[in-house]
Amino acid sequence: MSRRKTRPRTAPAAVAPAFTADSPCPCGLDAAYGACCGRFHSGTAGTAPTAELLMRSRYSAFVVRDEAYLLRTWAPETRPGEVDFDPALRWTGLEIQAATDGTAFHQHGTVTFTAGYVHGGEPGALRERSRFARHEGAWVYVDGDVSE
Ligand SMILES: [Zn+2]
């Protein structure tokens, strides 16, 4: 009687670090993921009510690699076919520098932020002024200007 071969061990896939609802939210607000950006990712809290909260939730979606959320919060005219997550890149923190408009009373808004990362062991920072607009009532990301 031959023993069944055990299945080959698969190498761990390049997945995001495990975030649970109780993890500190990656966006930097003093809240648990499930009570902060996670409630927008799952849809339990509807859509982000301001451009800044959408920005935060999209940053967190990059951290947890929630492609579906990123695509559905992207303006149709600038939305890519897919999101390429770079396995060598790890986001390390978000800082919001400024936000204009983008509240319940606006149709457009901007958010200026710095997102820190480590890429292949090298720390870096992305500085961007992002533009947001309402699409079917919900805030979506349109595009942004990256500054060095
Ligand atoms: Zn958050």
Side-chain angles (χ1 to χ4, degrees), residues 5-63:
K5 274 171 85 175
T6 53
R7 287 168 60 201
R9 282 183 62 131
T10 48
V15 294
F19 274 90
T20 71
D22 297 327
S23 303
C25 194
C27 82
L29 289 178
D30 187 18
Y33 170 65
C36 190
C37 298
R39 70 203 157 116
F40 300 127
H41 295 172
S42 65
T44 54
T47 57
T50 67
E52 180 178 333
L53 284 173
L54 182 75
M55 165 63 226
R56 288 183 179 279
S57 69
R58 285 177 51 85
Y59 169 82
S60 294
F62 273 105
V63 174

Side-chain angles (χ1 to χ4, degrees), residues 33-123:
Y33 170 65
C36 190
C37 298
R39 70 203 157 116
F40 300 127
H41 295 172
S42 65
T44 54
T47 57
T50 67
E52 180 178 333
L53 284 173
L54 182 75
M55 165 63 226
R56 288 183 179 279
S57 69
R58 285 177 51 85
Y59 169 82
S60 294
F62 273 105
V63 174
V64 303
R65 299 185 186 176
D66 187 338
E67 181 181 36
Y69 184 78
L70 289 166
L71 293 178
R72 75 174 183 263
T73 56
W74 219 305
E77 61 269 27
T78 56
R79 182 190 296 148
E82 59 182 2
V83 180
D84 242 336
F85 296 107
D86 183 345
L89 189 144
R90 187 170 57 82
W91 295 102
T92 55
L94 174 70
E95 222 179 281
I96 305 275
Q97 268 93 38
T100 64
D101 300 339
T103 76
F105 305 105
H106 301 106
Q107 294 299 313
H108 296 92
T110 70
V111 179
T112 305
F113 66 91
T114 302
Y117 60 81
V118 175
H119 186 257
E122 291 287 317

